[in-house]
Amino acid sequence: MEQRSSVPLGTLWHSLTQTPIVWGLIASFFLTLLLVSPVGEFPLNDDWIHAVATRHLLHTGTYAGHPYVASTLVAQVFWGALFCKVFGFSFTTLRLSTIVITGIGAWAIAQCGLTIGLPSLLAFLCGWAVVMNPVGLSLTYSYMTDMPFLAMTAVSGLFFLRSFTGHQDRNIILGSLFAAIAFLIRQFGIVLPIAYVLTLIGLRIARNRPLSVSNLLCLGSPWLGVIPIYGYLSTIGANNPTFAALTGRIPVEAIEALCHVPVALCYLSLFFLPLGIAHLWQVIFTNQTRSQTQQQTIRAWGFCLVAIGVFTLPRILFGLKRWLFNDTAQWLRDFPVRMPLLNGDYLHDFAIGNLHLPGLQPTVHLGHWWWLITAICLCTASFVVARCIEIVQNILRQPDNPLPQLPTNGSVPVVNNPAYDSQQLFIGLWGLLLVMIVYNPWRVQVFDRYLLPATIPFILILATEMKPASWRSARWVTIASCVLIYSVSIITLQDYLAWNRAAWAAGQRLMTHYNVPPSIIRNVDTFNGWHNSEQYMQVYRTRSWDDSNLSGKGPWVLDDTYLVTAASQAVMGYEVVERLSYRSWLGHRDRYLTIWKRIQ
């Protein structure tokens, strides 16, 4: 029988819209926009491809996938087109659409925290930390799919969590509906209903709860319309070129498969480091945290040892192979063993984004300081793993006795509340599946930004370790850590937008002042892609992302008569046309881009 919530609808609406969480998030986004302006007619990373699809929808009224896009991002394209209908098509407008939906996602994460009984401030910091870390904030300022997908998964997860406490069928339908919308941005959205089904199956096995046919029908009903839409739209203009054959890569993929979960959990901890630092501070300096049993300590240390073994495994294999077979195996020696632990990351020391401008390098290198950050992240990940194991044990141990519903005022839930335990199991499965699904042996790379959505369930799991007394003692540590990481986010974001803005200004100057066509300019990859990709595909008769550099002069470059570089060193065969300066907050100094022309 469906449970009834004791919270009146008016009171619920008031709690959603008038809490300090909403105003805190609005103030945070407003401050960010004041510090770093999102205005600028230039794309970031690969979002020019999504902009092409949005422009096509505006001009023709129909959706068409771009050949360079592996996912069917129809929901995001319609969302961006809605903003463009009001404000006109521009990269600034598309960026604004992402900022708005990211704010919705941050609110939904905070509401998830309240739903599982976190104090209001802690729930707010959970939502704030997910979107205000350097990777999350930089993606918020783009039209990439990452933050819209994260936002829709957060809203979906919120309704699924609420389904355990009341109005079950209605909340399941809404949770599945928003998961379907997330699916129409990135197909990883299927993870949430799968996690919910696995939760119901787990509860059936562990606590003999019956599987409700009504629940399953509610879960599947939104997908009756979504799957046909996806099946049709995914065939229009799509090419799915992001997967490669395994031939010759089996040893690399075997090690990466073994490394994936420990590395991903450790890297994820970087995104919610404020809570990790606060919990580590509790463990070391206070006695107010919950008593650590011997089993919990063993679990945490066990994960740390396994992770360290995984991090160093390539180097160990390199030494053994050299000793036994006199073979140096260069790929083993070059395997990453520090943070960032993933290849092709969005985060490069103190640089953010894809450094797709010739000669551009990270301004500040952390060097061996990454080891300290890695150690803290490893400790944070161990807390999460220990807590996940405890959740499973609680499900298996505790009888399913009917207890009062979860409190709705942000207080800590009643211990052994079956609704709370069910929520925790769902959150753990939600996070685990999101971590595992991004790995595929046929995918060339797993980028760190792919892991960002998994931050939501894992930060909620870590936040449940903050009990009332211990949270009061650690909140200032958490706030101070958030301010520190936010400062890093702002500085790196300003640098990211500054050099992209300067690179596009250089390209526009060549086109307007010197009457140079974009087809003979080698600039940042986004410039080349936006202006030249259609002509490039015709010239080289390809529609594959993997063929973007057939000219050998750079992605989508047809001719490099003119170059725009971040390097001041002389380029052989070229002469300087002009130098443009831009201000970067990294180092607080002016930097320069140089426009070069080939000497005839």
Side-chain angles (χ1 to χ4, degrees), residues 207 209 401 403-407 413-422:
R207 295 189 169 180
R209 289 192 194 175
N401 296 324
L403 291 175
Q405 294 182 11
L406 289 177
V414 179
V415 178
N416 298 334
N417 188 312
Y420 177 72
D421 290 343
S422 302

Side-chain angles (χ1 to χ4, degrees), residues 59 103 110 229 257-258 274 321 357 362 376 394 486 511 526 557 582 593:
H59 288 172
I229 293 173
L258 184 63
K321 196 168 186 180
L357 181 68
I376 297 174
N394 286 342
Y486 178 67
M511 293 166 60
T526 54
V557 175
Y582 67 94
L593 300 184

